[in-house]
Amino acid sequence: FYWMSVQTIRNVFSVETGYRLSDDQIVNHFPNHYELTRKDLMVKNIKRYRKELEKEGSPLAEKDENGKYLYLDFVPVTYMLPADYNLFVEEFRKSPSSTWIMKPCGKAQGKGIFLINKLSQIKKWSRDSKTSSFVTQSTKEAYVISLYINNPLLIGGRKFDLRLYVLVSTYRPLRCYMYKLGFCRFCTVKYTPSTSELDNMFVHLTNVAIQKHGEDYNHIHGGKWTVSNLRLYLESTRGKEVTSKLFDEIHWIIVQSLKAVAPVMNNDKHCFECYGYDIIIDDKLKPWLIEVNASPSLTSSTANDRILKYNLINDTLNIAVPNGEIPDCKWNKSPPKEVLGNYEILYDEELAQGDGADRELRSRQGQSQGPKGGRSRDSGRTVLTTW
Amino acid sequence: MRKAQGSWEKRILKSLNSMCTELSIPLARKRPVGEQKELLNKWNEMGTDEPDLSLFRPVYAPKDFLEVLINLRNPNYENGDSLSFRTHLGLIQVPLKVKDIPELKEFFVELGLTTGQLGIDDSTQVPPELFENEHVRIGQKVLAEQDSAAAQQYIRQGSPTALRAELWALILNISSQPEDILYYEQLKTNVIQHDLLVDSLIYKDVKLTASNDDYYFVFEDYLYQVLLCFSRDTSVLGHFAYNSASPPKSYIRGKLGLEEYAVFYPPNGVIPFHGFSMYVAPLCFLYHEPSKLYQIFREMYVRFFFRLHSISSHPSGIVSLCLLFETLLQTYLPQLFYHLREIGAQPLRISFKWMVRAFSGYLATDQLLLLWDRILGYNSLEILAVLAAAVFAFRAVNLMEVTSLAAAEAVLADLSTLKVMPLLQIFLFATVT
């Protein structure tokens, strides 16, 4: 049994080593997972996916009167730097009082991230683009710049984000599972959009790696809330319908992001992957996809956390390698219902296409959930017919 | 009872005064202008940058209060030489009248097996058409009619999460009028202008309890806002008219003993104890507007919570609840009761803290809210004692095997996975007696 890091995966699948996985070997990453998990490639793939749907005339790609996608606008406006620098400047000048967030493409744990509200703060990338724009920059210097969500939903005055775990066993047909026990990560410091605090990472970045160095970090709860707490709070203070709608939308954007990269993913049958999805909810209860992590932290910061991660790994392996037997990569990847544990089926392309509308509805059943588990809650969305 | 309450109060006040002298901090002082400005700025984030609280300790904890209750004796009561048909072997030795299971079944008839309940009949396996949808519809109608009595009857079967905030407000007769908001702002001004010793006690309590709680840490700042205002709210003094307790008094400096210079201290007459902030914490899941949150808490306190820490003969008073708990256990689970008593683990020593806090901080929040629904619906705290007994009944098998108080505590340490309504239903309606 061997749980690989992304480094090892690169080696295993690299053309040079000529290593071939045998039938009884299963690994925990897809060879080109970075199509989803690198910040720039994720955005590229989603943009491409949207354009394709638009060209096909799919109803999913419908836009509103301002040209914004009605159903596929779930990633904040993003540009690659230095490549799209000029495009970015054009956008920036349209709303000069906006804040943008700079993130290095290949890093994690909040490293190297900073906020800007003036063009002068990213002069460095403009100089480079003016010079040799045909020379590919080394990946280390590549950044993405996204419109900063400066109106996050606050609870107790603090910003938080959602960490959700999604297991993909195959991309074509797409079969993915959502872990029911996600959590919210709260900042230890009260949120303020004030420009004087743009440098204060304790206000803006929810990564535990950052927050745990804060003065007020508490090791008992670790600043984490369960998703069911969030659901209870939102239902109690905002109402059932808007809360169910929010959670439906979250499931929707996860599935759409997977569909966007499915065509370019190397759907090696030896592979499965458990992603860490980061989602932020704004104060209008709209969810935004921030990024997808290929190696979500499996260390624990609190006692509850340890139990959660333990069960996560346990349930993941039960689905990827059922019965605890020696795996056979040729199996049909349809685990029996009993082994799902805390996972529930998020989307199963085969089932969805199988019996048409009837099956679609049933495969949607497991999605909305709260303190009561996977109960069917039809949010009444009649517009979307394809999943 | 009143005598006991009186001497208990003297003890608390003495403790408070001695802390005050020891630390050389005045009970109350006016804040200098600079400090006032600073506090106003940090009003929404008092949780950060707290003062040094290491020398403060809570005035008392529930277990201190339990010791007082255990020693209550009625000097007029003549037990007679012969043991009555049922000698009470629990800790409480005051013969108050408590309900037995047949009476409880009648009282809590809506919790019966044939009536739909939220907390049971809305679980995943039950199709919503059977009960839940209709129940929600009725709830919406009750709210539309703004019928407080109907709401109270309705909520006996539990409240849907989305309707709970409004239903509770309706039952407690809270409607946020401009004058209520103004009153709250006035209290806030009092907090800014004057600093009270009890403020530090409140701070300490929040830091010790809610700040470390998985469910409530998020709302830490709301707790300060509510509790600091609460201690200055003299309208709370009104509840002493039906409370056996009396508000503690203090005297302006240098005028000890002169009645004209006596003031109630703290202004609302309530000295917080260890865990007090947990009365407010669950409410933060329902109300995020400070003045409304404040009003709801205040009303909950003067209707219910005060009974949990004052000595009286009221059926919802803590003494009666303790007796009810012990009687239920002794009568219906005698083996368990005797066993625990033998190993030095009197059940009340474990369940007391649950009841004093109305289970806040022990149950998962969604379960706690279902429990508090029933407190409001039946206008009684007796359900706390019944639930405590039901928990013991549920874990009876494990408890029979323990051989020490510590082990018994360990079996009952974690209640966060319990579902309260099934437990209550089984205990009241489905146990063979």
Side-chain angles (χ1 to χ4, degrees), chain A residues 152-169:
Chain A
L153 176 67
L154 302 177
I155 299 186
R158 291 184 217 159
K159 177 175 167 177
F160 68 98
D161 79 341
L162 277 176
R163 162 53 61 91
L164 301 169
Y165 296 101
V166 178
L167 169 63
V168 178
S169 52

Side-chain angles (χ1 to χ4, degrees), chain A residues 26-38:
Chain A
I26 297 211
V27 295
N28 56 308
H29 287 292
F30 285 92
N32 57 341
H33 62 78
Y34 41 80
E35 293 284 349
L36 180 63
T37 58
R38 258 185 66 116

Side-chain angles (χ1 to χ4, degrees), chain A residues 168-186:
Chain A
V168 178
S169 52
T170 145
Y171 273 97
R172 292 185 299 273
L174 179 60
R175 197 167 287 138
C176 51
Y177 306 84
M178 170 94 138
Y179 203 62
K180 288 191 252 189
L181 308 177
F183 52 90
C184 306
R185 297 176 291 208
F186 279 87

Side-chain angles (χ1 to χ4, degrees), chain B residues 300-312:
Chain B
M300 290 285 281
Y301 182 81
V302 301
R303 269 201 210 194
F304 302 112
F305 297 144
F306 78 92
R307 299 199 190 279
L308 296 172
H309 60 90
S310 35
I311 305 175
S312 82

Side-chain angles (χ1 to χ4, degrees), chain B residues 249-315:
Chain B
K249 278 207 285 233
S250 186
Y251 299 89
I252 307 277
R253 180 172 286 199
K255 307 265 193 258
L256 188 65
L258 297 174
E259 280 309 312
E260 313 91 76
Y261 293 96
V263 291
F264 293 123
Y265 185 86
N268 71 340
V270 181
I271 297 181
F273 56 89
H274 178 62
F276 193 85
S277 55
M278 295 304 278
Y279 287 142
V280 189
L283 303 174
C284 298
F285 266 84
L286 302 175
Y287 306 99
H288 53 164
E289 204 273 308
S291 75
K292 186 121 191 229
L293 174 62
Y294 178 75
Q295 283 184 277
I296 297 276
F297 165 65
R298 181 179 61 184
E299 190 60 30
M300 290 285 281
Y301 182 81
V302 301
R303 269 201 210 194
F304 302 112
F305 297 144
F306 78 92
R307 299 199 190 279
L308 296 172
H309 60 90
S310 35
I311 305 175
S312 82
S313 53
H314 194 274

Side-chain angles (χ1 to χ4, degrees), chain A residues 155-156 158 186 188 190 216 218 220-221 223-225 229 232-233 235-237 239-240 304 371-375, chain B residues 44-45 48 122-124 126-128 132 161-162 211-212 214-215 217-219 221-222 284-286 288 365-366:
Chain A
I155 299 186
R158 291 184 217 159
F186 279 87
T188 52
K190 276 270 194 320
D216 292 305
N218 180 308
I220 298 180
H221 52 70
K224 290 183 178 169
W225 238 23
N229 274 349
L232 176 64
Y233 175 79
E235 279 185 8
S236 303
T237 52
K240 192 76 169 273
N304 280 336
K372 304 168 192 178
R375 179 84 181 287
Chain B
N44 286 324
E45 45 185 347
T48 52
D122 54 337
S123 74
T124 48
V126 180
E132 198 184 347
T161 46
S211 298
N212 292 329
D214 287 332
Y215 295 95
F217 72 88
V218 175
F219 304 114
D221 296 319
Y222 285 124
C284 298
F285 266 84
L286 302 175
H288 53 164
T365 307
D366 64 314

